[in-house]
mmCIF file of all heavy atoms in Angstrom:
data_model
loop_
_atom_site.group_PDB
_atom_site.id
_atom_site.type_symbol
_atom_site.label_atom_id
_atom_site.label_comp_id
_atom_site.label_asym_id
_atom_site.label_seq_id
_atom_site.Cartn_x
_atom_site.Cartn_y
_atom_site.Cartn_z
ATOM 1 N N PHE A 1027 1.425 -11.236 -1.692
ATOM 2 C CA PHE A 1027 1.410 -9.886 -1.127
ATOM 3 C C PHE A 1027 0.777 -8.897 -2.105
ATOM 4 O O PHE A 1027 0.989 -8.962 -3.314
ATOM 5 C CB PHE A 1027 2.851 -9.456 -0.818
ATOM 6 C CG PHE A 1027 2.967 -8.033 -0.489
ATOM 7 C CD1 PHE A 1027 2.641 -7.546 0.790
ATOM 8 C CD2 PHE A 1027 3.440 -7.120 -1.436
ATOM 9 C CE1 PHE A 1027 2.763 -6.205 1.097
ATOM 10 C CE2 PHE A 1027 3.562 -5.762 -1.110
ATOM 11 C CZ PHE A 1027 3.217 -5.338 0.138
ATOM 12 N N VAL A 1028 0.009 -7.970 -1.571
ATOM 13 C CA VAL A 1028 -0.669 -6.930 -2.358
ATOM 14 C C VAL A 1028 -0.192 -5.556 -1.982
ATOM 15 O O VAL A 1028 0.292 -4.795 -2.811
ATOM 16 C CB VAL A 1028 -2.197 -6.992 -2.214
ATOM 17 C CG1 VAL A 1028 -2.862 -5.827 -2.974
ATOM 18 C CG2 VAL A 1028 -2.715 -8.336 -2.712
ATOM 19 N N ALA A 1029 -0.267 -5.203 -0.695
ATOM 20 C CA ALA A 1029 0.098 -3.879 -0.269
ATOM 21 C C ALA A 1029 0.366 -3.853 1.232
ATOM 22 O O ALA A 1029 -0.170 -4.675 1.977
ATOM 23 C CB ALA A 1029 -1.020 -2.857 -0.631
ATOM 24 N N THR A 1030 1.149 -2.853 1.658
ATOM 25 C CA THR A 1030 1.425 -2.691 3.093
ATOM 26 C C THR A 1030 1.439 -1.204 3.400
ATOM 27 O O THR A 1030 1.748 -0.359 2.534
ATOM 28 C CB THR A 1030 2.783 -3.321 3.478
ATOM 29 O OG1 THR A 1030 2.981 -3.222 4.906
ATOM 30 C CG2 THR A 1030 3.951 -2.632 2.750
ATOM 31 N N ILE A 1031 1.123 -0.864 4.619
ATOM 32 C CA ILE A 1031 1.188 0.520 5.100
ATOM 33 C C ILE A 1031 1.738 0.548 6.514
ATOM 34 O O ILE A 1031 1.365 -0.257 7.379
ATOM 35 C CB ILE A 1031 -0.207 1.198 5.022
ATOM 36 C CG1 ILE A 1031 -0.101 2.694 5.377
ATOM 37 C CG2 ILE A 1031 -1.213 0.470 5.889
ATOM 38 C CD1 ILE A 1031 -1.360 3.467 5.023
ATOM 39 N N GLY A 1032 2.682 1.473 6.763
ATOM 40 C CA GLY A 1032 3.334 1.567 8.043
ATOM 41 C C GLY A 1032 2.619 2.562 8.964
ATOM 42 O O GLY A 1032 1.550 3.094 8.638
ATOM 43 N N LEU A 1033 3.208 2.783 10.128
ATOM 44 C CA LEU A 1033 2.602 3.602 11.153
ATOM 45 C C LEU A 1033 2.414 5.072 10.703
ATOM 46 O O LEU A 1033 1.473 5.726 11.082
ATOM 47 C CB LEU A 1033 3.425 3.576 12.421
ATOM 48 C CG LEU A 1033 3.443 2.225 13.173
ATOM 49 C CD1 LEU A 1033 4.453 2.286 14.301
ATOM 50 C CD2 LEU A 1033 2.057 1.895 13.697
ATOM 51 N N ASN A 1034 3.386 5.566 9.919
ATOM 52 C CA ASN A 1034 3.335 6.962 9.459
ATOM 53 C C ASN A 1034 2.749 7.102 8.107
ATOM 54 O O ASN A 1034 2.827 8.171 7.475
ATOM 55 C CB ASN A 1034 4.712 7.623 9.513
ATOM 56 C CG ASN A 1034 5.690 6.914 8.619
ATOM 57 O OD1 ASN A 1034 5.379 5.938 7.966
ATOM 58 N ND2 ASN A 1034 6.905 7.467 8.583
ATOM 59 N N GLY A 1035 2.104 6.061 7.565
ATOM 60 C CA GLY A 1035 1.493 6.132 6.283
ATOM 61 C C GLY A 1035 2.373 5.694 5.109
ATOM 62 O O GLY A 1035 1.864 5.697 3.953
ATOM 63 N N ASP A 1036 3.601 5.358 5.351
ATOM 64 C CA ASP A 1036 4.444 4.816 4.289
ATOM 65 C C ASP A 1036 3.834 3.580 3.713
ATOM 66 O O ASP A 1036 3.339 2.719 4.434
ATOM 67 C CB ASP A 1036 5.861 4.553 4.812
ATOM 68 C CG ASP A 1036 6.596 5.813 5.180
ATOM 69 O OD1 ASP A 1036 6.202 6.895 4.788
ATOM 70 O OD2 ASP A 1036 7.597 5.725 5.931
ATOM 71 N N HIS A 1037 3.919 3.430 2.406
ATOM 72 C CA HIS A 1037 3.265 2.303 1.771
ATOM 73 C C HIS A 1037 4.094 1.718 0.652
ATOM 74 O O HIS A 1037 4.960 2.374 0.078
ATOM 75 C CB HIS A 1037 1.867 2.725 1.226
ATOM 76 C CG HIS A 1037 1.929 3.978 0.427
ATOM 77 N ND1 HIS A 1037 2.377 4.056 -0.871
ATOM 78 C CD2 HIS A 1037 1.538 5.242 0.750
ATOM 79 C CE1 HIS A 1037 2.295 5.304 -1.325
ATOM 80 N NE2 HIS A 1037 1.777 6.055 -0.346
ATOM 81 N N TYR A 1038 3.754 0.452 0.334
ATOM 82 C CA TYR A 1038 4.426 -0.271 -0.733
ATOM 83 C C TYR A 1038 3.442 -1.189 -1.365
ATOM 84 O O TYR A 1038 2.584 -1.793 -0.687
ATOM 85 C CB TYR A 1038 5.628 -1.071 -0.214
ATOM 86 C CG TYR A 1038 6.307 -1.855 -1.251
ATOM 87 C CD1 TYR A 1038 7.211 -1.289 -2.139
ATOM 88 C CD2 TYR A 1038 6.057 -3.217 -1.415
ATOM 89 C CE1 TYR A 1038 7.827 -2.024 -3.129
ATOM 90 C CE2 TYR A 1038 6.671 -3.976 -2.400
ATOM 91 C CZ TYR A 1038 7.562 -3.343 -3.249
ATOM 92 O OH TYR A 1038 8.190 -4.070 -4.232
ATOM 93 N N TYR A 1039 3.494 -1.320 -2.735
ATOM 94 C CA TYR A 1039 2.578 -2.147 -3.444
ATOM 95 C C TYR A 1039 3.288 -3.181 -4.323
ATOM 96 O O TYR A 1039 4.389 -2.916 -4.833
ATOM 97 C CB TYR A 1039 1.691 -1.296 -4.391
ATOM 98 C CG TYR A 1039 0.888 -0.220 -3.682
ATOM 99 C CD1 TYR A 1039 1.405 1.060 -3.492
ATOM 100 C CD2 TYR A 1039 -0.396 -0.520 -3.210
ATOM 101 C CE1 TYR A 1039 0.646 2.034 -2.855
ATOM 102 C CE2 TYR A 1039 -1.137 0.454 -2.593
ATOM 103 C CZ TYR A 1039 -0.617 1.718 -2.396
ATOM 104 O OH TYR A 1039 -1.395 2.681 -1.745
ATOM 105 N N ASP A 1040 2.645 -4.284 -4.529
ATOM 106 C CA ASP A 1040 3.092 -5.212 -5.521
ATOM 107 C C ASP A 1040 2.938 -4.579 -6.891
ATOM 108 O O ASP A 1040 1.988 -3.809 -7.134
ATOM 109 C CB ASP A 1040 2.296 -6.527 -5.463
ATOM 110 C CG ASP A 1040 2.741 -7.517 -6.500
ATOM 111 O OD1 ASP A 1040 3.786 -8.139 -6.329
ATOM 112 O OD2 ASP A 1040 1.972 -7.713 -7.495
ATOM 113 N N GLU A 1041 3.869 -4.877 -7.816
ATOM 114 C CA GLU A 1041 3.839 -4.255 -9.142
ATOM 115 C C GLU A 1041 2.541 -4.551 -9.897
ATOM 116 O O GLU A 1041 2.123 -3.731 -10.718
ATOM 117 C CB GLU A 1041 5.041 -4.758 -9.946
ATOM 118 C CG GLU A 1041 6.379 -4.189 -9.493
ATOM 119 C CD GLU A 1041 6.442 -2.693 -9.591
ATOM 120 O OE1 GLU A 1041 5.883 -2.154 -10.585
ATOM 121 O OE2 GLU A 1041 7.033 -2.038 -8.698
ATOM 122 N N ALA A 1042 1.889 -5.670 -9.613
ATOM 123 C CA ALA A 1042 0.657 -5.986 -10.311
ATOM 124 C C ALA A 1042 -0.486 -5.039 -10.033
ATOM 125 O O ALA A 1042 -1.415 -4.922 -10.804
ATOM 126 C CB ALA A 1042 0.261 -7.419 -9.990
ATOM 127 N N VAL A 1043 -0.423 -4.362 -8.887
ATOM 128 C CA VAL A 1043 -1.529 -3.469 -8.464
ATOM 129 C C VAL A 1043 -1.093 -2.014 -8.382
ATOM 130 O O VAL A 1043 -1.951 -1.139 -8.180
ATOM 131 C CB VAL A 1043 -2.159 -3.925 -7.154
ATOM 132 C CG1 VAL A 1043 -2.594 -5.383 -7.225
ATOM 133 C CG2 VAL A 1043 -1.210 -3.701 -5.987
ATOM 134 N N LYS A 1044 0.144 -1.740 -8.485
ATOM 135 C CA LYS A 1044 0.696 -0.403 -8.352
ATOM 136 C C LYS A 1044 0.018 0.567 -9.355
ATOM 137 O O LYS A 1044 -0.075 0.264 -10.542
ATOM 138 C CB LYS A 1044 2.185 -0.409 -8.572
ATOM 139 C CG LYS A 1044 2.916 0.829 -8.063
ATOM 140 C CD LYS A 1044 4.414 0.633 -8.133
ATOM 141 C CE LYS A 1044 5.164 1.801 -7.515
ATOM 142 N NZ LYS A 1044 6.636 1.554 -7.538
ATOM 143 N N GLY A 1045 -0.436 1.687 -8.864
ATOM 144 C CA GLY A 1045 -1.118 2.687 -9.691
ATOM 145 C C GLY A 1045 -2.632 2.468 -9.755
ATOM 146 O O GLY A 1045 -3.331 3.373 -10.175
ATOM 147 N N ARG A 1046 -3.093 1.317 -9.354
ATOM 148 C CA ARG A 1046 -4.545 1.035 -9.350
ATOM 149 C C ARG A 1046 -5.121 0.906 -7.979
ATOM 150 O O ARG A 1046 -6.278 1.242 -7.758
ATOM 151 C CB ARG A 1046 -4.816 -0.249 -10.127
ATOM 152 C CG ARG A 1046 -4.371 -0.217 -11.581
ATOM 153 C CD ARG A 1046 -4.811 -1.451 -12.346
ATOM 154 N NE ARG A 1046 -4.202 -2.658 -11.823
ATOM 155 C CZ ARG A 1046 -4.901 -3.696 -11.315
ATOM 156 N NH1 ARG A 1046 -6.212 -3.654 -11.265
ATOM 157 N NH2 ARG A 1046 -4.279 -4.766 -10.865
ATOM 158 N N PHE A 1047 -4.354 0.362 -7.027
ATOM 159 C CA PHE A 1047 -4.848 0.161 -5.631
ATOM 160 C C PHE A 1047 -4.203 1.181 -4.716
ATOM 161 O O PHE A 1047 -3.073 1.646 -4.907
ATOM 162 C CB PHE A 1047 -4.454 -1.242 -5.142
ATOM 163 C CG PHE A 1047 -5.168 -2.367 -5.810
ATOM 164 C CD1 PHE A 1047 -5.952 -2.174 -6.924
ATOM 165 C CD2 PHE A 1047 -5.038 -3.656 -5.291
ATOM 166 C CE1 PHE A 1047 -6.599 -3.258 -7.534
ATOM 167 C CE2 PHE A 1047 -5.703 -4.728 -5.880
ATOM 168 C CZ PHE A 1047 -6.482 -4.526 -7.008
ATOM 169 N N THR A 1048 -4.985 1.550 -3.701
ATOM 170 C CA THR A 1048 -4.452 2.500 -2.664
ATOM 171 C C THR A 1048 -4.775 1.936 -1.307
ATOM 172 O O THR A 1048 -5.908 1.626 -0.977
ATOM 173 C CB THR A 1048 -5.094 3.865 -2.818
ATOM 174 O OG1 THR A 1048 -4.827 4.395 -4.127
ATOM 175 C CG2 THR A 1048 -4.518 4.810 -1.786
ATOM 176 N N ILE A 1049 -3.733 1.811 -0.468
ATOM 177 C CA ILE A 1049 -3.911 1.340 0.872
ATOM 178 C C ILE A 1049 -3.907 2.522 1.838
ATOM 179 O O ILE A 1049 -3.168 3.498 1.615
ATOM 180 C CB ILE A 1049 -2.837 0.310 1.289
ATOM 181 C CG1 ILE A 1049 -3.139 -0.320 2.654
ATOM 182 C CG2 ILE A 1049 -1.453 0.914 1.268
ATOM 183 C CD1 ILE A 1049 -2.247 -1.499 3.007
ATOM 184 N N SER A 1050 -4.758 2.495 2.841
ATOM 185 C CA SER A 1050 -4.824 3.577 3.836
ATOM 186 C C SER A 1050 -5.173 2.998 5.194
ATOM 187 O O SER A 1050 -5.653 1.860 5.280
ATOM 188 C CB SER A 1050 -5.801 4.672 3.414
ATOM 189 O OG SER A 1050 -7.123 4.135 3.307
ATOM 190 N N ARG A 1051 -4.998 3.803 6.234
ATOM 191 C CA ARG A 1051 -5.337 3.305 7.572
ATOM 192 C C ARG A 1051 -5.933 4.439 8.414
ATOM 193 O O ARG A 1051 -5.643 5.631 8.186
ATOM 194 C CB ARG A 1051 -4.100 2.733 8.274
ATOM 195 C CG ARG A 1051 -2.972 3.694 8.542
ATOM 196 C CD ARG A 1051 -1.713 2.958 8.994
ATOM 197 N NE ARG A 1051 -1.857 2.350 10.292
ATOM 198 C CZ ARG A 1051 -1.004 1.446 10.823
ATOM 199 N NH1 ARG A 1051 0.068 1.087 10.089
ATOM 200 N NH2 ARG A 1051 -1.215 0.948 12.017
ATOM 201 N N ASP A 1052 -6.728 4.057 9.386
ATOM 202 C CA ASP A 1052 -7.322 4.982 10.347
ATOM 203 C C ASP A 1052 -7.002 4.449 11.726
ATOM 204 O O ASP A 1052 -7.630 3.526 12.234
ATOM 205 C CB ASP A 1052 -8.829 5.091 10.144
ATOM 206 C CG ASP A 1052 -9.471 6.135 11.040
ATOM 207 O OD1 ASP A 1052 -8.851 6.520 12.027
ATOM 208 O OD2 ASP A 1052 -10.592 6.562 10.718
ATOM 209 N N SER A 1053 -5.990 5.035 12.346
ATOM 210 C CA SER A 1053 -5.525 4.562 13.652
ATOM 211 C C SER A 1053 -6.532 4.695 14.752
ATOM 212 O O SER A 1053 -6.533 3.874 15.691
ATOM 213 C CB SER A 1053 -4.191 5.256 14.019
ATOM 214 O OG SER A 1053 -3.159 4.963 13.097
#
């Protein structure tokens, strides 16, 4: 697992990438 993003933009990252990676979505 690397990252996840929910319907309202809530997100969570694996500690290995936290602070370096950013997940986003365009519905």
Side-chain angles (χ1 to χ4, degrees):
F1027 170 79
V1028 176
T1030 185
I1031 185 167
L1033 292 173
N1034 62 357
D1036 293 342
H1037 48 77
Y1038 178 80
Y1039 301 92
D1040 180 76
E1041 289 297 322
V1043 306
K1044 197 172 186 178
R1046 300 186 297 119
F1047 291 10
T1048 302
I1049 188 170
S1050 61
R1051 65 191 292 167
D1052 185 341
S1053 296

